[in-house]
């Protein structure tokens, strides 16, 4: 069943790319190059290096590595803060009611609108880019963690107290496992947002990264290079999401087994 599903996905991808190739050949539109041309430019930009460097060019260290570092760094900062604060707020009912309006106000502010503020405070630096990414992606993690922590069944916590389980063991043995499905949902949403904000943060005042490469291609009217960066961003987003789904699948194996058992009993 899994092999058939993967095969269907592959066939769909081949058909779509083939249709794209045919449409762009017929249209001959300069702003929409053929996929074969885009792939050729991607190879020249990032995969035309010497065999001793695994065919990787210097552009990999100038474009891809800095962007991945900022993306994962900002996302990790948001994950640590969002999960920690979310668990605390979710387990202290009156506190989340008290700070709830402030959280929803900050969440409503578009992160790109705060870019000038971050530049003034932190300057044109990697710290500024990390701050923009972390601020923009923390809200799905934080709010999902709060919701997950508040949904923990009271009988589970009460049972742990009866058996005199320490607060730290209750946190890691009861609260976090029960809240983890919603935490992972927030992590998946925030990872997609991190990719978008990474590009936005690199459009101003940076000398490396995929955002900078995209801006340079636009300034030089290199349409094929611009599309190469866009396609690479899509590939990176897909790969990172697939890796996170694989981690989630392994970590939440117990959750799926529990739901399957409940459905059988029901």
């Amino acid at each position: 069943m899994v092999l058939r599903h993967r095969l269907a996905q592959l066939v769909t991808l081949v058909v779509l790319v083939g249709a794209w190739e045919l449409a762009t050949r017929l249209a001959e539109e300069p702003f929409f190059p053929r996929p074969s041309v885009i792939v050729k430019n991607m190879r020249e930009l990032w995969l035309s290096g010497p065999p001793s460097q695994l065919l990787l060019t210097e552009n990999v260290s100038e474009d891809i590595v800095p962007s991945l570092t900022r993306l994962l760094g900002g996302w990790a900062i948001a994950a640590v803060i969002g999960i920690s604060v979310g668990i605390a707020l979710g387990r202290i009912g009156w506190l989340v009611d008290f700070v709830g309006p402030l959280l929803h106000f900050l969440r409503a502010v578009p992160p790109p609108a705060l870019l000038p503020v971050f530049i003034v405070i932190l300057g044109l630096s990697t710290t500024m880019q990390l701050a923009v990414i972390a601020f923009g992606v923390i809200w799905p993690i934080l709010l999902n963690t709060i919701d997950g922590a508040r949904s923990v069944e009271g009988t589970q916590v009460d049972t742990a107290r009866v058996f005199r389980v320490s607060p730290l063991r209750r946190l890691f043995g009861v609260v976090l496992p029960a809240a983890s499905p919603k935490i992972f949902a927030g992590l998946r949403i925030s990872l997609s947002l991190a990719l978008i904000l990474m590009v936005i943060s690199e459009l101003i005042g940076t000398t490396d990264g995929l955002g900078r490469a995209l801006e340079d291609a636009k300034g030089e009217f290199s349409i094929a290079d611009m599309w190469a960066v866009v396609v690479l961003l899509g590939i990176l987003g897909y790969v990172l999401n697939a890796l996170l789904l694989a981690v989630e699948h392994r970590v939440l194996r117990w959750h799926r087994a529990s739901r399957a058992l409940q459905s059988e009993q029901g």
Side-chain angles (χ1 to χ4, degrees):
M1 181 65 69
V2 175
L3 181 60
R4 184 181 302 175
H5 179 68
R6 297 300 181 190
L7 184 61
Q9 288 181 329
L10 180 60
V11 171
T12 302
L13 178 62
V14 171
V15 170
L16 290 175
V17 173
W20 184 5
E21 178 79 20
L22 179 61
T24 49
R25 283 181 180 274
L26 293 176
E28 290 294 335
E29 173 60 49
F31 295 107
F32 295 94
R34 300 190 300 271
S36 56
V37 175
I38 296 173
V39 171
K40 177 183 176 183
N41 279 55
M42 293 177 69
R43 185 185 64 81
E44 292 176 352
L45 285 171
W46 300 298
L47 293 174
S48 59
S52 60
Q53 298 180 8
L54 302 177
L55 302 180
L56 301 178
T57 65
E58 294 182 357
N59 289 331
V60 173
S61 60
E62 295 178 359
D63 299 338
I64 300 176
V65 174
S67 290
L68 281 177
T69 302
R70 293 169 185 135
L71 187 156
L72 296 177
W75 180 70
I77 292 171
V80 171
I81 297 175
I83 294 174
S84 302
V85 176
I87 290 293
L89 292 177
R91 298 309 301 164
I92 305 174
W94 64 267
L95 185 57
V96 71
D97 294 333
F98 182 73
V99 301
L102 177 61
L103 294 179
H104 288 291
F105 170 77
L106 292 175
R107 182 175 66 94
V109 178
L114 291 178
L115 188 59
V117 178
F118 284 114
I119 292 176
V120 170
I121 297 175
L122 301 174
L124 295 172
S125 62
T126 301
T127 304
M128 178 273 295
Q129 294 158 348
L130 291 174
V132 170
I133 296 171
F135 177 84
V137 307
I138 194 174
W139 306 112
I141 303 173
L142 177 62
L143 297 178
N144 275 273
T145 302
I146 292 173
D147 191 26
R150 297 184 74 177
S151 64
V152 177
E153 294 185 8
T155 55
Q156 295 177 322
V157 179
D158 293 338
T159 302
R161 287 198 185 102
V162 168
F163 283 97
R164 297 183 179 180
V165 178
S166 65
L168 190 61
R169 292 187 63 184
R170 286 203 303 268
L171 172 63
F172 289 98
V174 178
V175 177
L176 272 178
S180 56
K182 292 190 177 182
I183 292 175
F184 270 102
L187 289 174
R188 289 201 310 271
I189 297 173
S190 65
L191 187 59
S192 300
L193 293 175
L195 183 65
I196 299 171
L197 291 174
M198 177 268 292
V199 175
I200 293 175
S201 68
E202 290 179 344
L203 293 177
I204 301 176
T206 56
T207 58
D208 54 19
L210 291 172
R212 182 74 265 165
L214 187 64
E215 187 71 13
D216 290 342
K218 184 194 72 172
E220 296 170 1
F221 295 98
S222 179
I223 305 300
D225 285 351
M226 183 182 70
W227 275 98
V229 176
V230 172
V231 172
L232 179 60
L233 287 170
I235 294 173
L236 288 177
Y238 178 84
V239 170
L240 291 174
N241 184 68
L243 291 175
L244 182 59
L245 282 175
V247 173
E248 179 185 2
H249 183 81
R250 185 175 183 83
V251 173
L252 299 183
R253 184 181 303 171
W254 64 270
H255 179 67
R256 291 190 303 276
S258 175
R259 292 184 61 182
L261 182 61
Q262 290 177 358
S263 62
E264 291 177 0
Q265 293 176 347

